Amino acid sequence: MRKCRLVFIFTVFLLSAPAFTHDIITTPVTWNREISRIFYSRCIACHREGGMAFSLLDYREAFPWRTAIKEEILERRMPPWGAVKGFGDFRNDQALTPEQLELVTSWSQGGSPEGEAKDLPSKDKLEEMMKESAWYGNAAHAGRQSGEIIAKGDFKLTNSFVLDGLFPRNVPQSGSFQIIAEFPDGRIEPLLWLEGYKEQFAHVFLLQTPLELPAGTMITGIPAGSSIALLPAPKD
Amino acid sequence: MRAALLSLILALVAGQTPAPLPSQNAGDVYICPMDPDVRSNNPGKCARCGMALVAGLPDPVEYHLDLSISPRPIKPGQPASLLFAVHDPWKNRPVTNFQVVHEKLFHMFVVSQDLEVFLHNHPTLGSDGLFHYDYVFPKAGMYRVLGDFYPDGATPQLIAKTVIVPGQAPKPATLARDYSAKDAENLTVELVTEPQQPISGAKTQMIFRVKPADGLEKYLGAWGHMLVASADLIDMIHEHPFIADGGPQIQFNVIFPRAKNYRVWVQFQRKGVVNTAHFDVPVKELGNYIARLPPQPN
């Protein structure tokens, strides 16, 4: 009798266990706790129904992609921010932090568990996180403004300029290059290190704090054929 | 016993580790602030680094780290003063409360573009709420500066900055496999990796053996520290040992993100002396690597 019951429970268990949890779970990181929060803020502005790519909103939708997800984020192809973290400082930065990379990798490697329903962020929180994304709505292009200067080649500023953002144009597909500002006094500031930037995901890079560039500053590192729009800080 | 075994099998079939014993505070998790993969349902200490586990789960957000250097322009070989300011990501207000991590409030790594310069040191918190450090950049070129700190009530932060010292930049590093034993200050370090050929995106065990091993001591609260940097300085990873007990063998686990060449620095302390050694590890893509294996007889 007891054995019977166990077999019954066993069968029910198997039937109710979703097909995709057959991997051995070796990670404490779960979708409901950590991964959903990262994806809501960094992926689903594009990866949702009606968005530009397949949905990664639900656990069930994301699970089949778990290996591809790990590869894409470790190669920094996704999210398609296209610049190296820590070379310039951007208030709309969408690149994953080292901690986020580690969490997603651990989740992907460790059987990709769903976790407990109570840990999933609320719908309000989801909306709030998604709207913060640089790609939500038209935000990615919101930087085109009057007063922008187009820099090409080694470019010298004739007047002083308060730089608020950068918008790359015509960047070669596999392009990796560093743009720097050389001040007249000899100091050098890193501006932007593009790596795997794709026109398909074109977006502005908005500085954390506007940078004052004196007249005579050289902007260097832009490859032939490409240009960078220098966006001015709004005057007040 | 049978029931326990069966539930274990059930759990394995269902793809889960056996359910933890019911505890008073089910639902709470305790996480090691330094090693986010070390967690427990009960309060306690991290088995790996000994730090107290913390309850709950703050959103993984990024703080702002500003680095200002004076005097400008920076001159190679001349003293420069580095100032780090931390601001919160919500209100951009200065953050002045930090947790001690491995005995320090702030760990700083400096690596030069040619990978010749490696520094692991600790800026000190001044009464102005900023972290101060005096440094002489030895040569011109690009440096990556990594700040590792833990604002109270947040998540640990690992934030890279870039410093460019004007002048003729050194040639970027070209790395080839170098697993050879290294003589450091007062010990020799050997490296074995498992798998022998590390694969991007998969776990690599980095097993270091030190000789002599008597008198090994913890350095900043851990049996070792490791910094991993890709030759292009895009990936920078700070790790602590996965398995170490004060004996001659110290194991780190690392996932190399990309199929690139990496330089790996390790630091071990013996008899009060900090030893630093580095190794170069080419990492391959799974596909490429299989293509190179000799055909299997069938």
Side-chain angles (χ1 to χ4, degrees):
Chain A
M1 178 58 209
R2 181 134 176 257
K3 207 168 154 196
C4 258
R5 228 177 97 203
L6 279 174
V7 170
F8 175 71
I9 293 171
F10 183 75
T11 315
V12 171
F13 207 76
L14 277 184
L15 289 175
S16 61
F20 32 72
T21 54
H22 54 261
D23 296 349
I24 303 280
I25 308 299
T26 58
T27 178
V29 179
T30 71
W31 170 267
N32 286 345
R33 244 181 350 225
E34 294 89 354
I35 306 305
S36 55
R37 285 172 173 79
I38 297 170
F39 280 28
Y40 290 176
S41 62
R42 291 286 179 270
C43 317
I44 64 162
C46 304
H47 286 275
R48 66 191 149 103
E49 231 165 281
M52 60 165 23
F54 57 91
S55 177
L56 290 173
L57 184 64
D58 286 335
Y59 176 66
R60 265 138 246 268
E61 294 169 320
F63 186 86
W65 289 98
R66 63 199 183 284
T67 304
I69 286 169
K70 181 187 70 180
E71 287 170 14
E72 295 298 301
I73 63 154
L74 288 178
E75 293 283 348
R76 314 296 203 282
R77 284 191 295 260
M78 289 286 151
W81 177 245
V84 176
K85 233 179 168 42
F87 194 101
D89 209 355
F90 305 105
R91 61 181 188 267
N92 62 340
D93 192 352
Q94 296 295 303
L96 299 186
T97 67
E99 191 201 6
Q100 292 169 338
L101 286 172
E102 196 178 323
L103 289 169
V104 178
T105 305
S106 171
W107 178 76
S108 163
Q109 294 263 109
S112 312
E114 178 167 20
E116 295 179 51
K118 68 169 176 47
D119 292 332
L120 197 66
S122 68
K123 216 152 172 94
D124 291 352
K125 180 100 181 166
L126 185 165
E127 298 265 305
E128 183 192 315
M129 294 171 99
M130 177 173 68
K131 284 178 181 159
E132 277 170 18
S133 165
W135 284 288
Y136 186 75
N138 291 321
H141 298 276
R144 287 177 193 262
Q145 37 190 285
S146 62
E148 66 178 33
I149 295 179
I150 306 296
K152 286 185 184 152
D154 285 348
F155 182 83
K156 190 173 192 167
L157 281 172
T158 45
N159 296 308
S160 67
F161 189 83
V162 183
L163 183 69
D164 188 48
L166 301 135
F167 197 168
R169 305 250 170 88
N170 312 319
V171 173
Q173 270 287 342
S174 57
S176 169
F177 52 92
Q178 299 174 347
I179 302 161
I180 58 175
E182 300 181 37
F183 286 56
D185 69 1
R187 102 180 218 228
I188 299 179
E189 287 295 336
L191 291 182
L192 178 63
W193 179 351
L194 287 180
E195 174 82 32
Y197 181 84
K198 295 204 174 74
E199 292 288 335
Q200 183 193 358
F201 305 113
H203 65 90
V204 292
F205 294 84
L206 299 171
L207 301 196
Q208 190 67 50
T209 35
L211 183 63
E212 284 188 43
L213 302 173
T217 300
M218 294 285 298
I219 309 287
T220 63
I222 305 167
S226 297
S227 61
I228 302 281
L230 308 176
L231 311 176
K235 292 199 177 76
D236 47 20
Chain B
M1 179 58 210
R2 277 255 305 277
L5 196 70
L6 192 67
S7 68
L8 178 74
I9 294 168
L10 285 178
L12 288 177
V13 167
Q16 286 154 357
T17 41
L21 294 172
S23 76
Q24 213 86 64
N25 40 14
D28 268 353
V29 289
Y30 296 84
I31 309 157
C32 172
M34 213 39 224
D35 301 303
D37 61 328
V38 178
R39 284 151 193 259
S40 164
N41 285 325
N42 297 300
K45 290 199 164 158
C46 170
R48 201 178 303 163
C49 69
M51 288 188 68
L53 302 180
V54 292
L57 182 101
D59 280 343
V61 292
E62 193 172 16
Y63 280 60
H64 302 147
L65 178 65
D66 288 318
L67 166 59
S68 51
I69 302 181
S70 58
R72 290 282 193 157
I74 309 164
K75 294 212 172 72
Q78 291 191 18
S81 133
L82 279 60
L83 276 185
F84 295 91
V86 180
H87 291 89
D88 78 70
W90 302 284
K91 298 271 163 92
N92 206 29
R93 281 197 285 234
V95 176
T96 49
N97 283 333
F98 297 90
Q99 306 269 359
V100 172
V101 177
H102 287 118
E103 301 176 5
K104 300 288 177 186
L105 292 174
F106 196 109
H107 293 255
M108 176 189 72
F109 293 90
V110 178
V111 175
S112 63
Q113 158 177 20
D114 59 2
L115 303 175
E116 298 287 328
V117 175
F118 168 84
L119 175 77
H120 172 193
N121 220 318
H122 309 94
T124 48
L125 188 58
S127 52
D128 52 5
L130 307 175
F131 288 96
H132 295 243
Y133 192 80
D134 291 329
Y135 184 56
V136 176
F137 290 93
K139 53 180 134 185
M142 181 178 89
Y143 293 78
R144 294 279 269 173
V145 177
L146 199 64
D148 191 343
F149 57 96
Y150 181 22
D152 219 358
T155 55
Q157 306 287 311
L158 188 66
I159 300 181
K161 306 299 286 182
T162 305
V163 174
I164 298 169
V165 179
Q168 185 62 46
K171 281 206 186 98
T174 49
L175 302 183
R177 180 186 158 105
D178 176 13
Y179 281 25
S180 65
K182 300 292 176 327
D183 290 324
E185 304 294 317
N186 67 0
L187 48 71
T188 300
V189 189
E190 291 169 4
L191 167 64
V192 174
T193 64
E194 175 54 45
Q196 230 181 13
Q197 172 56 64
I199 301 296
S200 58
K203 185 173 79 188
T204 299
Q205 299 177 355
M206 312 277 295
I207 301 152
F208 296 94
R209 274 191 157 270
V210 298
K211 276 192 287 204
D214 65 299
L216 275 185
E217 295 156 347
K218 285 194 174 177
Y219 174 47
L220 302 169
W223 289 112
H225 292 261
M226 181 166 86
L227 186 81
V228 175
S230 55
D232 57 14
L233 289 183
I234 290 176
D235 301 314
M236 293 182 81
I237 304 163
H238 178 194
E239 288 283 349
H240 298 108
F242 184 70
I243 303 174
D245 58 5
Q249 186 159 310
I250 301 115
Q251 181 187 327
F252 295 78
N253 287 351
V254 60
I255 292 175
F256 293 99
R258 301 172 300 149
K260 299 273 174 188
N261 293 335
Y262 286 82
R263 178 158 287 181
V264 174
W265 290 267
V266 280
Q267 294 186 297
F268 305 112
Q269 181 171 320
R270 176 169 175 263
K271 298 188 173 172
V273 177
V274 178
N275 289 264
T276 305
H278 66 76
F279 300 84
D280 295 337
V281 180
V283 174
K284 301 266 191 288
E285 231 167 336
L286 189 57
N288 286 352
Y289 184 56
I290 286 179
R292 282 158 187 234
L293 290 175
Q296 300 291 313
N298 46 22

